[in-house]
């Protein structure tokens, strides 16, 4: 009995309707993950688009159930999404292959961890999205692809999720505000949030920066979780010590103001510990199981943010029983070489 291809065909039909006058270029995997291969995706299809600006439109096949229905959830197909990626097109006749490798790497992360992407999510790539290119784009932000949207397939519902490449400071800015709203603002300057490898950061654009600043002030941050490399809280004799890597000072003050300042909690996860900040009328430190909770009044929030400057040292807060310790941080390049030390 032959294997059903209803899930695969549903995606292919959407793409044929989107690009009726051309045939997509399909990069198939010789031996898929499900048959013991190294590449999780069955393939990536690429189309030429003229919308916004000439670009290549990449679409994955493999996060959803392409063949027989295997998962227990009849409402959702596989992980519930396929990824898309849009890359500015130059004079090249064939699409660059590196986005295919990028999408396969994202699939390896999802398949191995079980963590899925969704609209409003973000990912720090810890290096350029295109390793052989000179680019400032080192992170991804995810949203529903504005042209493809979502649909029901015979194997369940799915969303076409666009991965938009962004700079590190754009990532920091989006985390302090709202990814979906920031991408909508970005679209005013970059149609369809197409990846343009040689572009500067939009944080250098006064109009975009002003919109971001206004958005943070009005909305606060929709991100309630922040990962830091170095971070822990100790409590002894009623006094706490908050230890952070000095690199945290680049975005933690903004996050604290955008969360605690708006009456919302912020959870911090590091390599070794987890703790949270929350707003309150009386500052203090409590331990709930393994989680330390630091309650900040407006005065404590203001004092802590003022001390979070990019240098190492130790300071005692006057507004609450807390000592802040900032430890030197080494910033590495893609080859693991130290390019900067914050001390």
């Amino acid at each position: 009995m032959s294997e059903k291809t209803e899930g695969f065909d549903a995606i292919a039909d959407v793409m044929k309707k989107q690009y009726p006058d051309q045939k997509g270029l399909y990069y198939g995997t010789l031996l898929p993950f499900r048959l013991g291969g190294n590449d999780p995706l069955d393939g990536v299809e690429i189309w030429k688009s003229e919308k916004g600006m000439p670009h290549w439109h990449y679409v994955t096949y493999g996060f959803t159930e392409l063949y027989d229905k295997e998962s227990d959830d009849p409402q959702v197909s596989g992980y519930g999404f396929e990824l898309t990626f849009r890359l500015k097109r130059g004079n090249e006749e064939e699409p660059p292959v590196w986005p295919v490798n990028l999408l396969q790497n994202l699939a390896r992360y999802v398949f191995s961890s079980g963590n899925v992407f969704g609209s409003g999510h973000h990912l720090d790539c810890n290096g350029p999205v295109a390793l052989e290119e000179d680019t400032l784009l080192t992170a991804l932000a995810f949203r529903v692809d504005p042209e493809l949207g979502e649909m029901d397939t015979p194997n369940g519902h799915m969303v076409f999720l666009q991965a938009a490449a962004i700079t590190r400071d754009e990532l920091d800015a989006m985390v302090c505000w709202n990814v979906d709203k920031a991408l909508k603002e970005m679209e005013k300057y970059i149609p369809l949030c197409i990846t343009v490898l040689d572009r500067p950061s939009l944080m250098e654009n006064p109009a975009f920066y002003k919109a971001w600043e206004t958005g943070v002030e009005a909305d606060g941050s929709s991100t309630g979780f922040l990962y830091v490399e170095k971070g822990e809280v100790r409590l002894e004799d009623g006094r706490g010590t908050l230890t952070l890597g000095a690199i945290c000072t680049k975005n933690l003050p903004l996050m604290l103001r955008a969360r605690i300042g708006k009456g919302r909690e912020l959870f911090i996860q590091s390599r070794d510990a987890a703790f949270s900040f929350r707003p309150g009328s009386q500052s203090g430190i409590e331990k709930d199981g393994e989680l330390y909770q630091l309650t900040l009044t407006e005065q404590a929030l203001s004092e802590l943010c003022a001390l979070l400057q990019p240098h190492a040292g130790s300071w005692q807060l006057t507004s609450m029983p807390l000592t802040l310790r900032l430890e030197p941080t080494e910033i590495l390049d893609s080859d693991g070489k130290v390019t900067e030390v914050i001390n």
Side-chain angles (χ1 to χ4, degrees):
M1 184 176 178
S2 61
E3 191 173 39
K4 294 179 180 178
T5 61
E6 292 174 318
F8 192 106
D9 295 341
I11 299 170
D13 288 344
V14 167
M15 300 314 301
K16 288 175 184 176
K17 290 176 182 177
Q18 184 68 29
Y19 300 104
D21 299 326
Q22 60 176 292
K23 184 176 181 180
L25 179 62
Y26 186 78
Y27 280 87
T29 300
L30 291 177
L31 188 62
F33 222 46
R34 61 196 176 89
L35 298 178
N38 295 320
D39 294 326
L41 301 174
D42 278 43
V44 177
E45 194 168 26
I46 311 167
W47 305 81
K48 274 187 176 182
S49 176
E50 306 301 328
K51 299 285 183 67
M53 69 178 77
H55 67 278
W56 301 105
H57 194 183
Y58 298 73
V59 179
T60 66
Y61 288 75
F63 287 101
T64 59
E65 292 168 288
L66 303 177
Y67 309 105
D68 295 316
K69 179 68 180 175
E70 297 179 353
S71 69
D72 295 330
D73 189 346
Q75 303 300 318
V76 179
S77 177
Y79 290 108
F81 66 89
E82 293 289 353
L83 290 178
T84 77
F85 187 80
R86 297 173 182 268
L87 176 66
K88 181 182 178 182
R89 199 170 78 239
N91 297 322
E92 69 273 10
E93 291 297 321
E94 297 292 327
V97 177
W98 67 261
V100 176
N101 298 326
L102 173 67
L103 293 168
Q104 288 283 10
N105 284 333
L106 293 175
R108 289 186 185 93
Y109 165 76
V110 172
F111 278 60
S112 62
S113 69
N115 298 327
V116 299
F117 298 118
S119 183
H121 289 189
H122 51 80
L123 179 71
D124 187 349
C125 299
N126 297 313
V129 294
L131 294 178
E132 303 301 322
E133 301 287 343
D134 184 14
T135 180
L136 297 176
L137 305 180
T138 61
L140 298 169
F142 298 88
R143 66 168 187 169
V144 177
D145 189 293
E147 290 190 309
L148 302 181
E150 52 191 290
M151 69 173 179
D152 291 317
T153 77
N155 290 330
H157 192 75
M158 63 155 290
V159 177
F160 289 98
L161 203 60
Q162 180 187 356
I166 56 176
T167 65
R168 177 56 202 242
D169 57 349
E170 289 168 354
L171 172 63
D172 291 341
M174 289 183 185
V175 168
C176 293
W177 182 23
N178 179 290
V179 171
D180 285 325
K181 289 184 177 181
L183 289 175
K184 285 182 181 178
E185 190 65 30
M186 176 181 286
E187 203 161 15
K188 296 178 181 178
Y189 309 96
I190 307 172
L192 295 171
C193 294
I194 294 166
T195 294
V196 181
L197 289 175
D198 60 355
R199 72 171 177 85
S201 168
L202 280 176
M203 297 304 288
E204 298 176 8
N205 181 313
F208 181 87
Y209 187 92
K210 181 62 177 178
W212 166 76
E213 197 173 44
T214 301
V216 173
E217 180 63 30
D219 305 328
S221 171
S222 63
T223 303
F225 174 88
L226 183 67
Y227 177 81
V228 299
E229 189 71 16
K230 173 65 178 178
E232 64 178 355
V233 175
R234 299 291 184 197
L235 185 61
E236 187 175 352
D237 298 329
R239 184 169 191 89
T241 300
L242 170 62
T243 302
L244 296 166
I247 194 172
C248 294
T249 60
K250 289 190 174 183
N251 62 353
L252 184 56
L254 280 171
M255 283 293 293
L256 286 171
R257 292 190 182 98
R259 292 292 299 182
I260 312 306
K262 294 294 181 180
R264 304 166 190 165
E265 194 165 10
L266 175 64
F267 288 88
I268 306 290
Q269 176 70 57
S270 73
R271 285 181 304 173
D272 305 313
F275 52 94
S276 71
F277 296 96
R278 60 183 181 182
S281 58
Q282 184 174 348
S283 61
I285 307 170
E286 299 176 353
K287 189 176 184 183
D288 183 6
E290 295 300 314
L291 182 72
Y292 284 100
Q293 296 176 327
L294 290 80
T295 302
L296 304 179
T297 61
E298 290 185 13
Q299 182 183 0
L301 172 63
S302 178
E303 184 180 13
L304 179 59
C305 288
L307 291 174
L308 287 168
Q309 298 295 321
H311 50 71
S314 180
W315 301 268
Q316 292 189 6
L317 276 71
T318 61
S319 55
M320 66 183 296
L322 181 68
T323 299
L324 172 66
R325 291 182 56 213
L326 295 177
E327 297 187 346
T329 298
E330 293 183 343
I331 299 177
L332 309 178
D333 63 15
S334 57
D335 296 324
K337 297 179 180 177
V338 177
T339 59
E340 181 184 353
V341 179
I342 301 176
N343 59 12

